[in-house]
């Protein structure tokens, strides 16, 4: 009992915070129908849980309540599943990875805005979205001044707090106080008053450990002890392993050519199992003193830091698999000077990404023979997750790599197609394309030169011949910069929608 | 005669420069078959003329010579027409606007790489393209140290000089010495040694008036007096005038909402007649103390500066129409403290564009109902000009506007289509779409909400009904994030290719 109190006093450092403690149900009453709510969290990490669950309960009990929901990136099922099932979400931005809300987006019941994550912050700060009525923020503690110390993700929380009328803080006792100090919070002024962001290396700290808020804004404090429901990562399968090997072969080529050293440049690696596997490959490589400037830290990145292969990771979120999260939380002391958690406006800022010369490694759903990449839309219409930060990094990296297994759905889909059904990353910025078959270095190649290299190095043998046939027949047309046969360009997708396979009968 | 000598001594400030003077033919001999050549120039402005013409002459006389040609952006006919006609260009990057080379690109005889202009510089500096054998640079003068003072464009010249084995300087006597001091040259280190670019307002100067070179690199100096062949600008037609009016209506809305002041934010405006007309609209508006952070200064921008409506323009090139160029050259003194010429790595740098919060205004060839923009490819395959710097600005602006007349080819083509045939600017970053019909403010809208607004506000009445029919029928499908009918999505383009019109029979 007294220990618990000591614990709470370390977390609520002023009596004003203590006096604001409410139940999740009471706090949720602050949220009314029609409001816009901003929540902390980035990847299912550092997001509020108890208040969203209480809100969902109200709707399930028959209250009519619809909100617009703004996050940093993906959040846990306590938000995207529970609130979706209860019919509470009208509009959602800027990113998600949850199957329940994905279903409703694709059924047309939730309006979803899929945004560049670095832009989502400035949309809020420039007043281009709704005014935020309530922000719900997971915190480690509330300081003497009413500022909030973030937990395992920063995301858009600092800007949501700044722009919100009222703030509800969920103090999560599952998150150890040893996390304090990992965050480096700075807010950018709006133009024309912006100054340079003074980060010249991933380790540079330029801000404060807490997010400015103040007791005037805090409307309720809720004490919780629910662990983040982070996403399990798939086993490193054979295709992922070979993709990773191919990326390392590409790095080897760059080192031989004198364009990279064996510390590479700061790494950014996307979300998901393939991205995780790619970094595992580096654990067994000869590369060392690696650094990361990225938006997510998954299991393999933690292992790189553990082994000493990597010395520093700058990110906006920690999102290891559930098992790796438990392990990490036991070892926070070890990681404290090796990880910096930044607001996503900083972690994903084109200014810093371009200055540092990040190596951007992201995953594609499909790519076409000319190097355009689709990361978001299945068959041109169905939202998978969203573009996330991939565009922030890929447009500005010194080297921009996209990888994907060469086939999907048990070989029935070719991930290399004549024309992608949606474009997230254009031929202008995709530099290297990697599948388990090999890598295609597209730098300095014209579209037609790219097509040959992509088909030869990246396509699956089952689809190579047909792709080459398309390309050759397109080259019989009269417009030969990016030869296409428009009546056939999307026919592979149509065939899949009709027959369940892109393979010809 | 003595005046001419005085003139030359002001331009060749060391005897070493004088001793390097050669004829254009002699200088051109430095260029051999298989070489990679980098030239100064951005828009047909500040590009070398005599040496390329001499090189073309050699090829016309039967010598086998093919080169890879790197520029800043578009250059004049002395390069892109003469060298193309002589069959000298094998590969060309990163941008062009010339009809002769366009023809050969689309016939498949010249390989063309269409690049983000800010990236073209770092490709060169990071060693991702060929080594530059010879750089041909138009200069105002060569300093005592062998450094080169640029004329009316900076472009990639500083980086080409840095990376070239040999440099040929064309001293152009048609360019008045009063231009000296307009340029502000700084080169960025490669990662991991890059520092912040300390520009917090368009007027900030951070560099030197000349481009570092040194006499060790200069292999020849050629004296010329050929004026830039800048491109004539079309009359401000009715559609352009109405587009301009609609953009100003949008600005008015932003000012009313408190998101902009009546000095707006630094303006970037693309190339071409529509872009020129857009800025003319501001001459008669109530906006004042305008600034520009852009890559080209056309006629209307000069008029804004003349009238005092605009106070400062930062650019990498001056490219007024031929008549406006003559006028400008007589008035350089007036413009000297109102225009800064920067390397394109700085003028187009995402770091600065995002910090300043530029209002990016570029032109589209076509846009689709979901807000994707095509600026480069006619009917998906045929290269028009290239993406140029439009992506550098549009991805990073505080506000990103694309405009286009709602129809092309006398009404036979709708510039608003179900699906664009090529994507240069994605739905994620296009914020406002403008035609002569009206503007669609897409910020905060989901794809389906965007479709309704674009069709209602921007499409031409001749195509509205058919577009709405496509959208509604697509909404009957089962994937409702971005509803499409893939077998129909590109059928408007196919119909045009078949029948010469997108209109149904
Ligand atoms: C592209 C992305 C979806 C891949 O995720 P992943 O977990 O590595 O990939 P998976 O192989 O599990 O594929 C995910 C799904 O897409 C499907 N898929 C993959 N390629 C496909 C294709 N070419 N056509 C149709 N479906 C495809 C898979 O079948 C799977 O669907 P399922 O869950 O119904 O089986 C994911 O990386 C993403 O959302 N990226 C965009 C955002 C981003 O890059 N953020 C990071 C910035 S730091
Ligand atoms: C898009 C762009 C071509 C428009 O240029 P413009 O001079 O304003 O436009 P025009 O109306 O004259 O159109 C140019 C050509 O495209 C054709 N065109 C325009 N819209 C078309 C459409 N939807 N479908 C087919 N053709 C179309 C026109 O008919 C014209 O062709 P023509 O010369 O054979 O008659 C030009 O702005 C561009 O190259 N932009 C990309 C680069 C860029 O933005 N750079 C600036 C960054 S600062």
């Amino acid at each position: 009992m007294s220990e618990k109190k000591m614990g709470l006093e370390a977390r609520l450092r002023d009596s004003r915070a203590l006096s604001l403690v409410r139940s999740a149900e009471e706090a949720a009453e602050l949220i009314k129908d029609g409001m816009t709510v901003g929540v902390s969290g980035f990847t299912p990490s550092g997001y509020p849980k108890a208040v969203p669950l209480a809100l969902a309960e109200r709707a399930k009990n028959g209250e009519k309540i619809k909100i617009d929901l703004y996050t940093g990136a993906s959040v846990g099922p306590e938000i995207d599943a529970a609130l979706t099932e209860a019919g509470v979400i009208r509009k959602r931005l800027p990113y998600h990875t949850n199957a329940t809300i994905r279903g409703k987006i694709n059924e047309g019941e939730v309006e979803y805005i899929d945004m560049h994550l670095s832009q989502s912050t400035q949309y809020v700060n420039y007043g281009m979205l709704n005014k935020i009525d309530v922000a719900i923020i997971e915190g480690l503690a509330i300081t003497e001044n009413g500022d909030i110390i973030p937990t395992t993700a920063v995301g858009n929380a600092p800007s949501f707090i700044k722009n919100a009328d009222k703030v509800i803080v969920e103090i999560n006792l599952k998150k150890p106080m040893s996390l304090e100090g990992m965050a480096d919070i700075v807010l950018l002024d709006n133009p024309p008053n912006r100054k340079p962001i003074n980060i010249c290396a991933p380790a540079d700290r330029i801000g404060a450990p807490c997010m400015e808020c103040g007791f005037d804004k805090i409307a309720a404090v809720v004490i919780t002890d629910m662990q983040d429901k982070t996403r399990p990562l798939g086993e490193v399968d054979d295709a992922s392993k070979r993709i990773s090997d191919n990326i390392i072969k590409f790095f080897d080529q760059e080192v031989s050519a004198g364009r990279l050293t064996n510390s590479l440049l700061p790494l950014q690696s996307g979300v998901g199992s393939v991205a995780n596997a790619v970094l595992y490959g580096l654990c067994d490589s000869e590369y060392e003193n690696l650094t990361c400037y990225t938006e997510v830290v998954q299991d393999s990145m933690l292992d790189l830091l553990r082994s000493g292969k990597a010395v520093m990771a700058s990110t906006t979120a920690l999102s290891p698999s559930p098992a790796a999260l438990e392990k990490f939380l036991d070892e926070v002391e070890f990681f404290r000077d090796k990880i910096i958690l930044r607001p996503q406006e900083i972690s994903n800022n084109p200014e810093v990404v371009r200055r540092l010369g990040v190596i951007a490694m992201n995953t594609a759903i499909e790519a076409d023979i000319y190097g355009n990449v689709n990361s978001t839309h299945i068959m041109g219409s169905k939202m998978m997750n969203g573009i996330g930060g991939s565009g922030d990094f890929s447009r500005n990296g010194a080297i921009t790599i996209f990888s994907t297994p060469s086939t999907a759905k048990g070989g029935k889909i070719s991930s290399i197609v004549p024309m992608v059904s949606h474009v997230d990353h254009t031929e202008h910025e995709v530099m290297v394309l990697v599948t388990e078959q090999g890598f295609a270095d597209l730098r300095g190649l014209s579209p037609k030169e790219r097509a040959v290299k992509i088909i030869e190095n990246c396509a699956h043998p089952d689809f190579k011949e047909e792709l080459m046939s398309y390309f050759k027949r397109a080259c019989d047309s009269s417009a030969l910069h990016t030869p296409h046969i428009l009546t056939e360009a999307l026919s592979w997708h149509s065939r899949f929608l009709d027959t369940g396979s892109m393979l010809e009968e």
Side-chain angles (χ1 to χ4, degrees), chain A:
Chain A
M1 171 76 193
S2 79
E3 197 200 321
K4 204 167 178 184
K5 195 154 178 235
M6 252 185 60
L8 254 197
E9 270 164 11
R11 293 186 182 255
L12 304 180
R13 299 178 186 170
D14 187 279
S15 58
R16 284 171 290 181
L18 280 161
S19 73
L20 286 163
V21 172
R22 300 283 180 279
S23 69
E25 292 70 26
E26 287 170 304
E29 287 297 335
L30 294 165
I31 299 163
K32 318 265 183 231
D33 185 43
M35 278 190 168
T36 296
V37 176
V39 298
S40 67
F42 191 108
T43 64
S45 174
Y47 60 92
K49 300 155 189 86
V51 177
L53 285 174
L55 183 64
E57 210 51 41
R58 271 166 56 198
K60 275 200 276 182
N61 291 336
E63 188 179 334
K64 180 192 167 278
I65 177 157
K66 283 266 181 204
I67 62 168
D68 285 9
L69 181 67
Y70 300 176
T71 65
S74 55
V75 286
E78 299 86 343
I79 300 179
D80 273 340
L83 289 179
T84 301
E85 278 159 10
V88 172
I89 304 178
R90 192 188 73 89
K91 191 175 261 185
R92 172 85 169 78
L93 62 84
Y95 185 74
H96 85 93
T97 54
N98 178 277
T100 307
I101 195 164
R102 180 182 303 128
K104 292 294 172 194
I105 290 167
N106 290 316
E107 286 165 27
E109 287 180 32
V110 170
E111 297 302 313
Y112 178 54
I113 313 180
D114 176 16
M115 302 176 79
H116 296 298
L117 296 185
S118 76
Q119 291 190 341
S120 66
T121 322
Q122 63 188 43
Y123 263 79
V124 170
N125 285 314
Y126 298 176
M128 291 178 177
L129 295 171
N130 296 347
K131 177 94 191 73
I132 293 175
D133 297 297
V134 179
I136 320 175
I137 307 294
E138 179 175 280
L140 212 53
I142 299 176
T143 68
E144 292 78 358
N145 305 320
D147 296 335
I148 304 166
I149 302 174
T151 63
T152 42
V154 178
N156 276 328
S159 291
F160 288 161
I161 294 169
K162 181 177 163 194
N163 289 282
D165 284 338
K166 290 179 183 163
V167 174
I168 301 171
V169 187
E170 283 197 11
I171 295 291
N172 189 340
L173 301 177
K174 268 277 174 357
K175 301 282 172 79
M177 283 306 303
S178 48
L179 288 165
E180 183 171 0
M182 231 179 219
D184 185 62
I185 311 296
V186 71
L187 279 174
L188 301 181
D189 282 330
N190 285 357
N193 302 315
R194 267 200 194 170
K195 295 280 168 287
I197 303 168
N198 226 332
I199 297 172
C200 295
D204 290 351
R205 285 184 172 269
I206 58 169
C210 57
M211 309 185 282
E212 221 173 284
C213 180
F215 285 109
D216 287 352
K217 275 202 177 178
I218 302 181
V221 175
V222 176
I223 312 293
T224 73
D225 64 349
M226 301 162 80
Q227 194 49 278
D228 287 331
K229 291 217 170 69
T230 60
R231 294 204 304 161
L233 288 162
E235 284 281 298
V236 177
D237 62 12
D238 185 50
S240 304
K241 174 82 180 67
R242 283 161 66 195
I243 287 173
S244 176
D245 289 347
N246 288 331
I247 291 181
I248 289 170
K249 271 186 211 151
F250 167 76
F251 288 157
D252 294 345
Q253 164 200 295
E254 292 303 289
V255 172
S256 299
R259 286 187 290 261
L260 288 176
T261 70
N262 86 332
S263 301
L264 302 175
L265 280 167
L267 301 169
Q268 175 264 333
S269 173
V271 290
S273 304
V274 172
N276 190 49
V278 163
L279 289 187
Y280 267 131
L282 285 170
C283 290
D284 308 321
S285 75
E286 285 172 18
Y287 294 98
E288 55 190 23
N289 290 316
L290 300 170
T291 59
C292 304
Y293 196 84
T294 186
E295 63 177 37
V296 287
V297 164
Q298 303 189 131
D299 300 12
S300 51
M301 179 72 78
L302 292 174
D303 278 357
L304 281 172
L305 288 166
R306 261 188 207 100
S307 71
K309 277 274 176 192
V311 292
M312 190 69 217
S314 166
T315 181
T316 191
L318 297 164
S319 46
S321 65
L325 176 61
E326 289 303 328
K327 195 164 167 224
F328 166 79
L329 290 174
D330 287 341
E331 298 172 335
V332 174
E333 285 302 339
F334 171 82
F335 287 108
R336 259 263 288 273
D337 60 347
K338 297 178 186 68
I339 294 177
I340 299 182
L341 288 170
R342 307 186 192 270
Q344 72 197 65
E345 189 174 15
I346 305 292
S347 65
N348 289 35
N349 199 294
E351 166 172 346
V352 186
V353 174
R354 198 166 277 222
R355 182 183 304 139
L356 300 185
V358 163
I359 298 179
M361 300 185 281
N362 292 286
T363 315
I365 285 176
E366 59 177 4
D368 68 28
I369 56 174
Y370 297 114
N372 299 285
V373 163
N374 172 10
S375 321
T376 57
H377 283 68
I378 307 283
M379 305 299 145
S381 290
K382 199 167 151 193
M383 174 53 52
M384 184 68 208
N385 300 323
I387 192 167
S390 55
D392 296 324
F393 291 98
S394 62
R395 181 66 73 87
N396 292 295
I399 297 176
T400 286
I401 303 172
F402 280 92
S403 59
T404 175
S406 69
T407 59
K409 300 288 174 210
K412 295 208 170 109
I413 290 177
S414 175
S415 302
I416 309 294
V417 288
M419 180 186 264
V420 286
S421 57
H422 183 90
V423 177
D424 296 293
H425 308 290
T426 77
E427 46 139 352
H428 309 286
E429 64 252 15
V430 177
M431 300 186 196
V432 187
L433 194 65
V434 184
T435 68
E436 81 290 352
Q437 301 290 322
F439 73 85
D441 181 353
L442 308 175
R443 296 169 301 171
L445 301 187
S446 70
K448 292 192 293 298
E449 293 170 333
R450 279 179 230 149
V452 173
K453 191 154 266 184
I454 290 172
I455 297 171
E456 283 179 357
N457 295 11
C458 298
H460 190 277
D462 287 353
F463 293 97
K464 251 186 192 168
E465 211 173 303
E466 236 198 300
L467 284 168
M468 194 55 91
S469 153
Y470 176 83
F471 174 62
K472 287 206 170 133
R473 286 178 295 113
C475 286
D476 287 337
S477 76
S478 63
L480 294 184
H481 179 62
T482 306
H484 266 306
I485 305 166
L486 290 186
T487 48
E488 236 182 85
L490 297 172
S491 65
W492 294 33
H493 301 85
S494 304
R495 194 188 302 155
F496 175 81
L497 291 174
D498 279 356
T499 70
S501 175
M502 282 188 179
L503 287 161
E504 291 203 315
E505 303 273 286

